[in-house]
Amino acid sequence: MSQILEYSEKVMDHFSNPRNVGEIENPSGVGTVGNAKCGDIMRIYLDIGKDRVIRDCKFKTFGCGAAVATSSMATELVIGKTVQEALQVTNQAVMEALDGLPPVKVHCSLLAEEAIHAALWDYAQKNGIEIEGLKEPAKDIEDTEKFYEMSGE
Ligand code: FES
């Protein structure tokens, strides 16, 4: 029997009116990850200044409503932070900012964190810098064709 999940008002707000959806042209870093549990995909674009502060962040996802809401909140949380500070925007921090998620949806919130890390890794690689504590993403999807195939572009 399926169960009706309860979402906080903040989750509903970010789901119905997601912030920072879209792409950034010539981004400083891009990260695309897949969710091991449901197979959904998330891509994060970062625009980072010379001072290493994140000026803009946008996302595209094929994930569910919880993935949309968590990514929307995550983009808001990382904009204005340095690349180092952005590492503190964990899925836990994003869930807290949204007043929680139903336990079966926690895996959805991982997409944003992992995609941000993958985008930061891409930025670090391109610029030959090291971001302390940032690990190489295990799930960055090299095959971007699949992403565009799914988005019909
Ligand atoms: Fe796939 Fe939520 S079910 S991201």
Side-chain angles (χ1 to χ4, degrees):
M1 205 171 71
S2 66
Q3 160 208 7
I4 295 180
L5 299 175
E6 295 218 2
Y7 291 103
S8 72
E9 268 177 41
K10 282 191 191 163
V11 172
M12 290 312 293
D13 174 32
H14 279 265
F15 167 59
S16 332
N17 179 24
R19 282 60 145 187
N20 305 311
V21 177
E23 291 183 27
I24 293 175
E25 253 182 73
N26 304 318
S28 314
V30 184
T32 310
V33 297
N35 194 312
K37 204 156 171 177
C38 61
D40 289 330
I41 294 176
M42 162 82 64
R43 175 169 288 174
I44 288 270
Y45 301 82
L46 292 174
D47 176 32
I48 300 167
K50 284 203 173 68
D51 51 3
R52 298 191 185 172
V53 171
I54 297 172
R55 292 189 291 217
D56 199 8
C57 176
K58 297 223 183 293
F59 79 94
K60 273 191 160 182
T61 187
F62 297 103
C64 66
V68 170
T70 49
S71 315
S72 168
M73 178 56 93
T75 57
E76 288 214 310
L77 291 175
V78 297
I79 292 172
K81 290 200 165 57
T82 65
V83 293
Q84 195 68 55
E85 289 164 350
L87 286 185
Q88 310 302 319
V89 181
T90 60
N91 74 308
Q92 202 59 43
V94 172
M95 284 195 298
E96 274 167 28
L98 286 169
D99 295 335
L101 271 182
V104 295
K105 288 285 169 184
V106 170
H107 71 96
C108 313
S109 67
L110 283 167
L111 274 178
E113 178 188 312
E114 288 173 356
I116 288 171
H117 285 190
L120 286 171
W121 181 264
D122 182 40
Y123 160 77
Q125 293 289 104
K126 281 180 183 157
N127 292 279
I129 61 166
E130 208 177 302
I131 301 174
E132 209 191 313
L134 179 66
K135 295 194 190 76
E136 184 171 358
K139 287 185 257 169
D140 198 12
I141 295 177
E142 296 291 341
D143 183 8
T144 51
E145 269 172 35
K146 190 177 171 205
F147 185 85
Y148 283 109
E149 215 174 88
M150 287 175 74
S151 63
E153 286 176 29

